[in-house]
Amino acid sequence: MEFSSFIKQAASVKPNKRQLNILRETPFYAFVHFSPNTFTDLEWGLGDEDPAIFNPTKLDCEQWARTIKEAGMKGMVLTAKHHDGFCLWQSKYTEHCMKNSPYKNGKGDIVAEAAEACRKYGLKFGFYLSPWDRNSKYYGTDEYNTYYKNQLTELLTNYGEIFYVWFDGACGEGPNGRKQVYDFDGYFELIRKYQPNATFFHDCGEIRWCGNEAGKPSYAQWSVVPHELCRFCEIQTGAGPLHSDGALSYMYNSDTNIGEMSNIVYSEGLVFAPAETDMSIRPGWFYHKNEEPHSLERLFNTYLNTVGNNTTFHLNIPPTPEGLFDERDIRRLGELGDLIKNELGTDLAADAEIVEKRKENTDLCEFVIKLPEKRKIKYLELAEKIAEGQRVESFIVYYKNSDNINQSVCQCNTIGSRKIVKFDEAIETDEITVKIVSARDRVLLEWVKMY
Ligand code: FUL
Protein backbone atom coordinates (compact mmCIF):
# COMPACT_ATOMS: atom_id res chain seq x y z
CA MET A 1 0.00 0.00 0.00
CA GLU A 2 1.07 3.57 -0.66
CA PHE A 3 2.68 5.21 2.36
CA SER A 4 0.26 8.14 2.44
CA SER A 5 -2.92 6.08 2.26
CA PHE A 6 -1.60 3.68 4.92
CA ILE A 7 -0.96 6.59 7.30
CA LYS A 8 -4.46 7.97 6.67
CA GLN A 9 -5.88 4.56 7.52
CA ALA A 10 -3.68 4.32 10.62
CA ALA A 11 -5.11 7.67 11.80
CA SER A 12 -8.64 6.32 11.77
CA VAL A 13 -8.20 3.04 13.61
CA LYS A 14 -10.93 3.28 16.24
CA PRO A 15 -11.61 1.83 19.69
CA ASN A 16 -14.66 -0.34 20.24
CA LYS A 17 -17.19 0.91 22.81
CA ARG A 18 -15.72 -1.28 25.58
CA GLN A 19 -12.22 0.14 25.08
CA LEU A 20 -13.61 3.65 24.88
CA ASN A 21 -15.50 3.11 28.15
CA ILE A 22 -12.44 2.05 30.10
CA LEU A 23 -10.25 4.83 28.67
CA ARG A 24 -12.78 7.56 29.32
CA GLU A 25 -14.62 6.38 32.44
CA THR A 26 -12.27 4.06 34.35
CA PRO A 27 -8.65 4.92 33.56
CA PHE A 28 -7.52 4.29 37.18
CA TYR A 29 -8.65 1.13 39.01
CA ALA A 30 -7.48 -1.24 41.71
CA PHE A 31 -6.17 -4.77 41.69
CA VAL A 32 -6.70 -6.88 44.81
CA HIS A 33 -4.46 -9.95 45.15
CA PHE A 34 -5.85 -12.30 47.79
CA SER A 35 -5.35 -16.09 47.90
CA PRO A 36 -3.68 -18.80 50.02
CA ASN A 37 -0.43 -16.93 49.18
CA THR A 38 -1.59 -14.27 51.64
CA PHE A 39 -1.31 -16.92 54.38
CA THR A 40 1.84 -18.71 53.17
CA ASP A 41 3.81 -15.52 52.42
CA LEU A 42 4.39 -16.67 48.81
CA GLU A 43 3.95 -14.91 45.48
CA TRP A 44 3.25 -18.06 43.45
CA GLY A 45 1.45 -20.81 45.37
CA LEU A 46 2.13 -24.43 44.52
CA GLY A 47 -1.50 -25.53 44.26
CA ASP A 48 -1.31 -28.09 47.08
CA GLU A 49 -2.12 -25.65 49.89
CA ASP A 50 -4.74 -26.83 52.38
CA PRO A 51 -7.90 -24.68 51.88
CA ALA A 52 -8.20 -24.60 55.68
CA ILE A 53 -5.33 -22.09 55.83
CA PHE A 54 -7.45 -19.53 53.99
CA ASN A 55 -9.21 -17.95 56.97
CA PRO A 56 -9.53 -14.15 57.01
CA THR A 57 -10.94 -13.42 60.46
CA LYS A 58 -11.76 -9.72 59.95
CA LEU A 59 -12.60 -9.59 56.25
CA ASP A 60 -14.14 -6.23 55.32
CA CYS A 61 -14.56 -5.67 51.59
CA GLU A 62 -16.25 -2.36 52.33
CA GLN A 63 -12.99 -1.14 53.86
CA TRP A 64 -11.29 -2.08 50.56
CA ALA A 65 -13.93 -0.25 48.51
CA ARG A 66 -13.83 2.90 50.65
CA THR A 67 -10.04 3.09 50.42
CA ILE A 68 -10.04 2.52 46.67
CA LYS A 69 -12.65 5.20 46.18
CA GLU A 70 -10.79 7.73 48.31
CA ALA A 71 -7.68 7.24 46.18
CA GLY A 72 -9.69 8.34 43.13
CA MET A 73 -9.95 4.90 41.54
CA LYS A 74 -13.11 3.90 39.73
CA GLY A 75 -13.08 0.11 39.88
CA MET A 76 -11.75 -3.03 41.56
CA VAL A 77 -10.42 -6.24 40.02
CA LEU A 78 -10.23 -9.21 42.42
CA THR A 79 -8.07 -12.31 41.95
CA ALA A 80 -10.97 -14.77 42.00
CA LYS A 81 -8.39 -17.51 41.30
CA HIS A 82 -4.61 -17.12 41.22
CA HIS A 83 -2.06 -19.62 39.87
CA ASP A 84 -2.56 -21.90 42.94
CA GLY A 85 -6.07 -22.68 41.68
CA PHE A 86 -7.93 -21.78 44.91
CA CYS A 87 -11.30 -20.15 44.14
CA LEU A 88 -12.58 -17.30 46.27
CA TRP A 89 -16.16 -18.31 45.53
CA GLN A 90 -18.38 -21.41 45.87
CA SER A 91 -17.40 -23.06 42.60
CA LYS A 92 -19.44 -26.09 41.58
CA TYR A 93 -16.47 -27.46 39.70
CA THR A 94 -13.81 -27.90 42.40
CA GLU A 95 -13.38 -28.57 46.09
CA HIS A 96 -10.30 -26.31 46.10
CA CYS A 97 -12.37 -23.27 47.01
CA MET A 98 -14.27 -21.47 49.77
CA LYS A 99 -16.33 -24.61 50.45
CA ASN A 100 -13.35 -25.94 52.38
CA SER A 101 -12.21 -22.76 54.08
CA PRO A 102 -13.19 -22.20 57.72
CA TYR A 103 -14.40 -18.72 56.71
CA LYS A 104 -18.17 -18.62 57.41
CA ASN A 105 -18.01 -22.38 57.96
CA GLY A 106 -17.34 -23.08 54.32
CA LYS A 107 -20.25 -20.92 53.13
CA GLY A 108 -18.24 -17.78 52.31
CA ASP A 109 -18.11 -16.12 48.91
CA ILE A 110 -15.51 -13.37 48.71
CA VAL A 111 -16.26 -12.57 45.07
CA ALA A 112 -19.85 -11.80 46.12
CA GLU A 113 -18.75 -9.68 49.09
CA ALA A 114 -16.30 -7.68 46.97
CA ALA A 115 -18.83 -7.18 44.16
CA GLU A 116 -21.45 -5.97 46.64
CA ALA A 117 -19.03 -3.57 48.33
CA CYS A 118 -18.15 -2.12 44.91
CA ARG A 119 -21.79 -1.57 44.10
CA LYS A 120 -22.37 0.14 47.44
CA TYR A 121 -19.46 2.55 46.85
CA GLY A 122 -20.17 3.19 43.15
CA LEU A 123 -17.12 1.28 41.89
CA LYS A 124 -17.06 -1.01 38.89
CA PHE A 125 -16.21 -4.64 39.53
CA GLY A 126 -14.06 -7.06 37.56
CA PHE A 127 -12.09 -10.22 38.19
CA TYR A 128 -8.86 -12.06 37.44
CA LEU A 129 -9.16 -15.77 36.69
CA SER A 130 -5.70 -17.26 36.23
CA PRO A 131 -5.45 -19.47 33.15
CA TRP A 132 -2.41 -21.18 34.67
CA ASP A 133 -3.73 -23.49 37.41
CA ARG A 134 -1.32 -25.55 39.53
CA ASN A 135 -4.10 -27.38 41.35
CA SER A 136 -6.52 -28.60 38.70
CA LYS A 137 -6.10 -32.23 37.72
CA TYR A 138 -7.34 -31.30 34.26
CA TYR A 139 -4.52 -28.84 33.61
CA GLY A 140 -2.63 -29.80 30.46
CA THR A 141 -5.63 -31.55 28.82
CA ASP A 142 -8.57 -30.45 26.68
CA GLU A 143 -10.84 -30.90 29.67
CA TYR A 144 -9.11 -28.00 31.35
CA ASN A 145 -10.62 -25.61 28.81
CA THR A 146 -14.09 -26.90 29.74
CA TYR A 147 -13.25 -26.55 33.45
CA TYR A 148 -11.94 -23.02 32.90
CA LYS A 149 -14.98 -22.01 30.84
CA ASN A 150 -17.33 -23.37 33.49
CA GLN A 151 -15.63 -21.25 36.11
CA LEU A 152 -15.58 -18.22 33.85
CA THR A 153 -19.32 -18.66 33.30
CA GLU A 154 -19.95 -18.81 37.05
CA LEU A 155 -18.12 -15.53 37.50
CA LEU A 156 -19.73 -13.85 34.49
CA THR A 157 -23.28 -14.79 35.45
CA ASN A 158 -23.59 -14.65 39.25
CA TYR A 159 -22.07 -11.33 40.29
CA GLY A 160 -23.91 -8.57 38.42
CA GLU A 161 -22.28 -6.20 35.96
CA ILE A 162 -18.61 -6.96 35.25
CA PHE A 163 -16.45 -4.25 33.64
CA TYR A 164 -13.19 -6.16 33.14
CA VAL A 165 -11.76 -9.65 32.96
CA TRP A 166 -8.01 -9.99 33.45
CA PHE A 167 -6.20 -12.91 31.79
CA ASP A 168 -2.73 -13.47 33.18
CA GLY A 169 -0.03 -14.50 30.74
CA ALA A 170 2.23 -16.12 33.36
CA CYS A 171 2.86 -19.84 33.22
CA GLY A 172 5.82 -21.31 35.04
CA GLU A 173 5.32 -25.04 34.56
CA GLY A 174 8.80 -25.29 33.06
CA PRO A 175 10.08 -27.50 30.25
CA ASN A 176 8.90 -30.76 31.85
CA GLY A 177 5.66 -29.38 33.22
CA ARG A 178 2.18 -29.79 31.84
CA LYS A 179 1.56 -27.64 28.79
CA GLN A 180 -1.89 -26.22 28.29
CA VAL A 181 -3.23 -24.97 24.99
CA TYR A 182 -5.70 -22.31 26.07
CA ASP A 183 -8.91 -21.76 24.13
CA PHE A 184 -8.77 -17.99 24.41
CA ASP A 185 -11.23 -17.48 21.56
CA GLY A 186 -13.73 -19.59 23.50
CA TYR A 187 -13.07 -17.61 26.69
CA PHE A 188 -13.59 -14.27 24.93
CA GLU A 189 -16.82 -15.55 23.37
CA LEU A 190 -18.24 -16.19 26.84
CA ILE A 191 -17.44 -12.62 27.88
CA ARG A 192 -19.21 -11.28 24.78
CA LYS A 193 -22.19 -13.52 25.47
CA TYR A 194 -22.72 -12.82 29.17
CA GLN A 195 -21.16 -9.38 29.69
CA PRO A 196 -21.23 -7.52 26.36
CA ASN A 197 -20.01 -4.30 27.98
CA ALA A 198 -16.95 -5.87 29.63
CA THR A 199 -13.52 -5.55 28.12
CA PHE A 200 -10.57 -7.83 28.84
CA PHE A 201 -6.87 -7.66 29.52
CA HIS A 202 -4.44 -10.11 27.96
CA ASP A 203 -0.75 -9.63 27.05
CA CYS A 204 -2.01 -8.98 23.55
CA GLY A 205 -5.73 -8.43 24.14
CA GLU A 206 -8.35 -5.72 23.81
CA ILE A 207 -6.40 -4.02 26.59
CA ARG A 208 -2.75 -5.05 26.26
CA TRP A 209 0.17 -5.10 28.66
CA CYS A 210 2.55 -2.12 28.78
CA GLY A 211 5.45 -4.60 29.01
CA ASN A 212 6.64 -4.22 32.63
CA GLU A 213 5.28 -4.19 36.18
CA ALA A 214 7.34 -1.20 37.32
CA GLY A 215 4.82 1.46 36.28
CA LYS A 216 6.87 2.56 33.29
CA PRO A 217 5.05 2.63 29.98
CA SER A 218 6.88 3.69 26.86
CA TYR A 219 7.64 7.40 26.30
CA ALA A 220 5.48 7.38 23.14
CA GLN A 221 2.31 5.44 23.86
CA TRP A 222 0.31 4.25 20.91
CA SER A 223 -3.07 2.52 21.11
CA VAL A 224 -2.81 1.78 17.39
CA VAL A 225 -0.46 -1.17 17.02
CA PRO A 226 0.39 -3.99 14.62
CA HIS A 227 -2.04 -6.89 14.43
CA GLU A 228 1.02 -9.15 14.84
CA LEU A 229 1.21 -7.97 18.48
CA CYS A 230 -2.51 -8.16 19.31
CA ARG A 231 -3.99 -10.96 17.26
CA PHE A 232 -7.23 -11.01 19.25
CA CYS A 233 -8.14 -7.50 18.05
CA GLU A 234 -9.88 -6.70 14.80
CA ILE A 235 -7.60 -5.66 11.95
CA GLN A 236 -8.68 -2.22 10.62
CA THR A 237 -6.18 -1.31 7.87
CA GLY A 238 -4.33 -2.79 4.95
CA ALA A 239 -0.71 -3.90 5.27
CA GLY A 240 2.06 -1.35 5.82
CA PRO A 241 4.11 -0.22 2.82
CA LEU A 242 7.15 -2.23 3.97
CA HIS A 243 5.28 -5.34 5.05
CA SER A 244 6.61 -8.78 4.28
CA ASP A 245 5.64 -12.03 5.99
CA GLY A 246 7.29 -12.49 9.37
CA ALA A 247 8.82 -8.99 9.37
CA LEU A 248 7.48 -8.35 12.90
CA SER A 249 7.73 -11.87 14.28
CA TYR A 250 9.91 -10.86 17.24
CA MET A 251 7.89 -7.93 18.49
CA TYR A 252 6.81 -7.85 22.16
CA ASN A 253 5.02 -5.42 24.50
CA SER A 254 8.26 -4.38 26.17
CA ASP A 255 9.67 -3.02 22.88
CA THR A 256 9.69 0.73 23.16
CA ASN A 257 8.93 1.50 19.50
CA ILE A 258 5.51 -0.18 19.40
CA GLY A 259 3.04 1.81 17.32
CA GLU A 260 5.67 4.24 16.07
CA MET A 261 5.98 4.85 12.35
CA SER A 262 9.23 2.84 12.20
CA ASN A 263 7.28 -0.13 13.54
CA ILE A 264 3.85 0.06 11.89
CA VAL A 265 5.12 0.38 8.32
CA TYR A 266 6.18 -3.32 8.51
CA SER A 267 2.84 -4.51 9.86
CA GLU A 268 0.29 -6.76 8.15
CA GLY A 269 -2.36 -4.28 9.39
CA LEU A 270 -3.26 -2.26 12.48
CA VAL A 271 -5.60 -2.75 15.42
CA PHE A 272 -6.75 -0.59 18.31
CA ALA A 273 -5.30 -1.97 21.58
CA PRO A 274 -4.50 0.53 24.34
CA ALA A 275 -2.03 -0.45 27.05
CA GLU A 276 -2.61 -1.01 30.74
CA THR A 277 0.15 -0.30 33.27
CA ASP A 278 -0.15 -2.72 36.18
CA MET A 279 1.88 -2.23 39.32
CA SER A 280 1.61 -3.08 43.01
CA ILE A 281 1.65 -0.48 45.78
CA ARG A 282 4.35 -2.69 47.41
CA PRO A 283 7.13 -4.79 45.89
CA GLY A 284 4.94 -7.95 45.99
CA TRP A 285 1.50 -8.59 44.51
CA PHE A 286 0.50 -10.45 47.68
CA TYR A 287 0.77 -9.20 51.25
CA HIS A 288 4.10 -9.62 53.05
CA LYS A 289 4.15 -7.81 56.36
CA ASN A 290 7.74 -6.58 56.09
CA GLU A 291 7.13 -4.75 52.83
CA GLU A 292 6.33 -1.04 52.77
CA PRO A 293 4.15 0.86 50.31
CA HIS A 294 5.97 2.85 47.63
CA SER A 295 6.49 6.56 48.24
CA LEU A 296 3.76 9.06 47.49
CA GLU A 297 6.07 10.67 44.94
CA ARG A 298 6.56 7.41 43.05
CA LEU A 299 2.83 6.66 43.00
CA PHE A 300 1.88 10.17 41.87
CA ASN A 301 4.55 10.17 39.15
CA THR A 302 3.30 6.79 38.00
CA TYR A 303 -0.21 8.24 37.80
CA LEU A 304 1.08 11.08 35.61
CA ASN A 305 3.06 8.65 33.41
CA THR A 306 0.14 6.25 32.93
CA VAL A 307 -3.28 7.92 33.09
CA GLY A 308 -1.44 10.99 31.80
CA ASN A 309 0.30 9.03 29.05
CA ASN A 310 -2.46 7.18 27.22
CA THR A 311 -2.46 4.01 29.34
CA THR A 312 -4.77 2.88 32.11
CA PHE A 313 -3.31 2.48 35.61
CA HIS A 314 -4.07 -0.74 37.50
CA LEU A 315 -2.74 -0.36 41.03
CA ASN A 316 -2.66 -3.40 43.31
CA ILE A 317 -3.38 -3.29 47.05
CA PRO A 318 -2.94 -6.64 48.84
CA PRO A 319 -5.17 -7.44 51.86
CA THR A 320 -3.55 -8.85 55.01
CA PRO A 321 -4.29 -12.38 56.27
CA GLU A 322 -7.04 -10.82 58.41
CA GLY A 323 -8.73 -9.65 55.20
CA LEU A 324 -8.13 -5.92 55.67
CA PHE A 325 -5.99 -3.40 53.83
CA ASP A 326 -2.88 -2.50 55.85
CA GLU A 327 -3.10 0.89 57.60
CA ARG A 328 0.13 1.99 55.89
CA ASP A 329 -1.41 1.39 52.47
CA ILE A 330 -4.65 3.12 53.46
CA ARG A 331 -2.70 6.19 54.54
CA ARG A 332 -0.64 6.25 51.35
CA LEU A 333 -3.71 5.87 49.13
CA GLY A 334 -5.49 8.66 51.01
CA GLU A 335 -2.45 10.90 50.39
CA LEU A 336 -2.45 9.93 46.73
CA GLY A 337 -6.15 10.72 46.33
CA ASP A 338 -5.63 14.12 48.01
CA LEU A 339 -2.58 14.91 45.89
CA ILE A 340 -4.39 14.07 42.65
CA LYS A 341 -7.27 16.32 43.72
CA ASN A 342 -5.00 19.15 44.85
CA GLU A 343 -2.70 19.08 41.82
CA LEU A 344 -5.18 18.17 39.08
CA GLY A 345 -8.57 19.03 40.55
CA THR A 346 -9.18 22.60 39.33
CA ASP A 347 -9.10 23.31 35.62
CA LEU A 348 -7.52 26.75 35.12
CA ALA A 349 -8.40 26.69 31.41
CA ALA A 350 -12.15 26.17 31.87
CA ASP A 351 -12.80 29.75 30.68
CA ALA A 352 -10.04 29.79 28.04
CA GLU A 353 -10.56 30.62 24.39
CA ILE A 354 -9.02 28.01 22.07
CA VAL A 355 -8.11 29.07 18.54
CA GLU A 356 -7.05 26.48 16.00
CA LYS A 357 -4.67 27.83 13.36
CA ARG A 358 -4.12 25.57 10.41
CA LYS A 359 -2.62 25.85 6.97
CA GLU A 360 -4.46 24.50 3.94
CA ASN A 361 -3.46 21.02 2.75
CA THR A 362 -1.59 19.97 5.85
CA ASP A 363 -2.43 18.18 9.08
CA LEU A 364 -0.05 20.36 11.03
CA CYS A 365 -1.64 23.09 13.10
CA GLU A 366 -1.41 25.11 16.26
CA PHE A 367 -3.84 25.38 19.13
CA VAL A 368 -3.56 28.74 20.85
CA ILE A 369 -5.10 28.68 24.32
CA LYS A 370 -5.85 32.16 25.62
CA LEU A 371 -6.60 32.76 29.28
CA PRO A 372 -8.51 35.85 30.43
CA GLU A 373 -5.56 36.81 32.65
CA LYS A 374 -2.08 35.61 33.67
CA ARG A 375 -2.19 32.39 35.72
CA LYS A 376 0.40 30.08 37.26
CA ILE A 377 0.33 26.80 35.34
CA LYS A 378 2.07 23.57 36.42
CA TYR A 379 0.36 21.03 34.17
CA LEU A 380 -1.18 20.99 30.70
CA GLU A 381 -3.65 18.21 29.92
CA LEU A 382 -4.60 17.35 26.33
CA ALA A 383 -6.98 14.71 25.00
CA GLU A 384 -7.57 13.62 21.44
CA LYS A 385 -11.06 12.65 20.26
CA ILE A 386 -9.95 9.09 20.72
CA ALA A 387 -13.26 7.70 19.44
CA GLU A 388 -12.04 8.89 16.00
CA GLY A 389 -8.52 7.47 16.37
CA GLN A 390 -5.05 8.49 17.57
CA ARG A 391 -3.23 10.97 15.36
CA VAL A 392 -0.67 13.18 17.07
CA GLU A 393 2.93 11.96 16.75
CA SER A 394 4.61 14.89 18.48
CA PHE A 395 4.03 18.45 19.59
CA ILE A 396 5.85 21.41 21.13
CA VAL A 397 4.44 23.56 23.93
CA TYR A 398 5.16 27.32 23.97
CA TYR A 399 4.03 29.95 26.44
CA LYS A 400 3.90 33.70 26.17
CA ASN A 401 6.59 34.95 28.57
CA SER A 402 6.81 38.24 30.46
CA ASP A 403 8.34 39.90 27.35
CA ASN A 404 5.30 38.78 25.34
CA ILE A 405 7.46 36.36 23.34
CA ASN A 406 6.53 32.74 22.63
CA GLN A 407 9.03 30.58 24.49
CA SER A 408 9.15 26.80 24.08
CA VAL A 409 8.82 24.70 27.24
CA CYS A 410 8.96 21.11 26.03
CA GLN A 411 8.52 18.71 23.13
CA CYS A 412 6.39 15.60 23.69
CA ASN A 413 5.37 12.44 21.84
CA THR A 414 1.76 11.26 21.34
CA ILE A 415 -1.43 12.43 23.05
CA GLY A 416 -4.09 9.73 22.61
CA SER A 417 -6.82 9.40 25.21
CA ARG A 418 -5.06 11.73 27.66
CA LYS A 419 -1.67 13.40 28.01
CA ILE A 420 -0.61 15.27 31.12
CA VAL A 421 2.48 17.42 30.60
CA LYS A 422 4.15 18.50 33.83
CA PHE A 423 6.34 21.59 33.47
CA ASP A 424 9.70 21.53 35.25
CA GLU A 425 8.65 24.76 36.94
CA ALA A 426 5.24 26.43 37.07
CA ILE A 427 4.93 29.08 34.35
CA GLU A 428 3.06 32.34 34.62
CA THR A 429 1.24 33.21 31.43
CA ASP A 430 -2.03 34.10 29.75
CA GLU A 431 -1.34 32.16 26.55
CA ILE A 432 -0.08 28.67 25.75
CA THR A 433 0.38 27.35 22.23
CA VAL A 434 0.42 23.66 21.35
CA LYS A 435 2.17 23.30 18.01
CA ILE A 436 1.55 19.95 16.35
CA VAL A 437 4.80 19.10 14.58
CA SER A 438 3.85 15.65 13.32
CA ALA A 439 0.39 14.13 12.86
CA ARG A 440 -1.17 11.30 10.87
CA ASP A 441 -4.33 13.23 9.94
CA ARG A 442 -6.28 16.29 11.00
CA VAL A 443 -5.90 16.63 14.78
CA LEU A 444 -9.13 16.56 16.77
CA LEU A 445 -8.83 17.58 20.41
CA GLU A 446 -11.54 16.54 22.86
CA TRP A 447 -10.32 18.83 25.64
CA VAL A 448 -7.53 21.07 26.86
CA LYS A 449 -7.12 21.61 30.61
CA MET A 450 -4.54 23.36 32.76
CA TYR A 451 -3.75 23.03 36.44
C1 FUL B 1 1.72 -11.86 36.86
C2 FUL B 1 1.50 -12.95 37.92
O1 FUL B 1 2.41 -14.02 37.77
C3 FUL B 1 1.63 -12.26 39.25
O2 FUL B 1 1.55 -13.17 40.32
C4 FUL B 1 0.55 -11.20 39.35
O3 FUL B 1 -0.73 -11.81 39.40
C5 FUL B 1 0.64 -10.22 38.16
C6 FUL B 1 -0.46 -9.22 38.13
O4 FUL B 1 0.68 -10.92 36.93
O5 FUL B 1 1.83 -12.36 35.59
Side-chain angles (χ1 to χ4, degrees):
M1 182 182 290
E2 285 278 317
F3 186 81
S4 57
S5 44
F6 176 69
I7 296 307
K8 281 269 176 222
Q9 285 191 3
S12 291
V13 173
K14 294 181 177 56
N16 61 36
K17 66 172 197 294
R18 304 176 293 273
Q19 293 169 319
L20 193 58
N21 277 348
I22 194 164
L23 288 172
R24 280 289 173 254
E25 289 171 23
T26 325
F28 184 27
Y29 42 98
F31 228 158
V32 176
H33 274 65
F34 197 32
S35 90
N37 293 343
T38 312
F39 299 83
T40 53
D41 215 16
L42 292 177
E43 277 292 309
W44 277 7
L46 301 174
D48 59 359
E49 291 80 11
D50 181 351
I53 62 167
F54 189 90
N55 188 19
T57 49
K58 295 188 178 156
L59 183 81
D60 183 358
C61 295
E62 291 200 14
Q63 183 230 33
W64 305 355
R66 260 194 317 275
T67 308
I68 288 168
K69 185 146 191 172
E70 274 161 24
M73 296 185 245
K74 304 281 191 227
M76 178 202 293
V77 179
L78 175 67
T79 54
K81 175 182 91 167
H82 202 255
H83 308 325
D84 53 67
F86 182 79
C87 302
L88 297 188
W89 76 100
Q90 300 274 326
S91 178
K92 274 199 277 193
Y93 302 98
T94 180
E95 290 305 300
H96 201 57
C97 74
M98 294 306 292
K99 289 190 274 190
N100 288 304
S101 149
Y103 181 69
K104 292 194 172 166
N105 294 320
K107 300 272 180 290
D109 184 333
I110 294 176
V111 177
E113 289 194 45
E116 228 160 85
C118 283
R119 259 188 295 282
K120 179 159 173 191
Y121 284 89
L123 296 171
K124 297 184 183 182
F125 180 69
F127 60 83
Y128 164 119
L129 183 68
S130 173
W132 181 30
D133 186 323
R134 301 178 106 173
N135 175 268
S136 172
K137 61 174 189 250
Y138 303 120
Y139 194 80
T141 70
D142 273 355
E143 283 166 284
Y144 180 74
N145 279 319
T146 309
Y147 174 73
Y148 188 88
K149 282 190 249 183
N150 284 335
Q151 295 198 322
L152 189 56
T153 304
E154 288 184 309
L155 293 171
L156 290 168
T157 54
N158 291 329
Y159 299 97
E161 176 96 15
I162 300 294
F163 88 105
Y164 203 33
V165 181
W166 213 91
F167 294 102
D168 198 313
C171 177
E173 286 296 344
N176 302 317
R178 291 171 291 171
K179 258 218 151 45
Q180 179 67 45
V181 180
Y182 300 113
D183 176 17
F184 278 115
D185 287 324
Y187 307 165
F188 303 154
E189 229 169 78
L190 286 176
I191 300 176
R192 288 292 84 80
K193 178 167 169 198
Y194 293 119
Q195 296 282 346
N197 295 323
T199 185
F200 65 89
F201 172 96
H202 179 279
D203 272 10
C204 43
E206 229 172 61
I207 306 295
R208 67 183 173 91
W209 192 34
C210 82
N212 64 74
E213 294 175 342
K216 295 190 173 142
S218 176
Y219 64 96
Q221 264 303 323
W222 286 98
S223 299
V224 177
V225 301
H227 182 241
E228 287 91 332
L229 180 72
C230 294
R231 291 204 176 275
F232 295 118
C233 297
E234 188 198 337
I235 200 161
Q236 295 188 43
T237 68
L242 302 181
H243 172 70
S244 64
D245 282 339
L248 292 182
S249 54
Y250 291 105
M251 184 177 38
Y252 194 55
N253 279 310
S254 48
D255 298 356
T256 49
N257 72 333
I258 286 176
E260 286 183 21
M261 199 74 85
S262 59
N263 168 238
I264 63 172
V265 286
Y266 296 99
S267 166
E268 67 193 15
L270 302 175
V271 303
F272 196 94
E276 170 191 289
T277 305
D278 62 329
M279 176 181 138
S280 185
I281 191 167
R282 291 155 168 255
W285 291 100
F286 286 92
Y287 186 77
H288 310 289
K289 73 174 180 306
N290 293 331
E291 289 183 355
E292 291 288 331
H294 297 311
S295 70
L296 178 59
E297 192 192 5
R298 171 152 182 208
L299 293 175
F300 182 63
N301 283 336
T302 306
Y303 180 88
L304 295 177
N305 292 331
T306 56
V307 174
N309 186 22
N310 194 36
T311 81
T312 62
F313 185 17
H314 197 179
L315 178 61
N316 178 64
I317 311 113
T320 66
E322 290 183 315
L324 296 169
F325 282 171
D326 186 301
E327 286 301 326
R328 292 169 289 181
D329 298 351
I330 296 177
R331 220 173 307 122
R332 188 52 38 81
L333 288 165
E335 290 166 354
L336 178 63
D338 287 347
L339 191 59
I340 293 172
K341 258 186 253 142
N342 290 340
E343 293 291 285
L344 309 170
T346 311
D347 177 13
L348 299 174
D351 55 357
E353 186 199 345
I354 302 175
V355 181
E356 182 183 348
K357 291 188 181 164
R358 54 200 321 268
K359 291 216 172 78
E360 288 284 311
N361 303 323
T362 166
D363 297 321
L364 303 183
C365 63
E366 288 178 7
F367 294 94
V368 183
I369 307 133
K370 297 179 186 203
L371 300 171
E373 81 250 326
K374 282 205 160 122
R375 289 176 185 157
K376 262 203 155 158
I377 310 293
K378 264 164 100 176
Y379 306 87
L380 170 68
E381 180 177 312
L382 304 167
E384 286 188 70
K385 271 194 185 143
I386 199 68
E388 303 301 321
Q390 187 178 352
R391 301 180 173 183
V392 177
E393 294 248 347
S394 65
F395 61 95
I396 302 177
V397 181
Y398 299 83
Y399 77 103
K400 198 151 263 176
N401 67 16
S402 49
D403 298 325
N404 235 12
I405 290 170
N406 260 345
Q407 185 171 327
S408 68
V409 219
C410 55
Q411 171 150 9
C412 307
N413 299 289
T414 63
I415 296 178
S417 61
R418 192 186 272 100
K419 180 81 162 198
I420 303 176
V421 180
K422 184 178 182 198
F423 301 131
D424 289 341
E425 275 171 41
I427 52 178
E428 192 156 7
T429 189
D430 58 4
E431 192 177 299
I432 285 185
T433 297
V434 175
K435 181 174 162 191
I436 307 295
V437 291
S438 179
R440 296 178 181 179
D441 201 342
R442 173 154 189 198
V443 177
L444 305 170
L445 289 186
E446 191 156 326
W447 69 74
V448 176
K449 295 181 183 178
M450 293 180 200
Y451 309 106

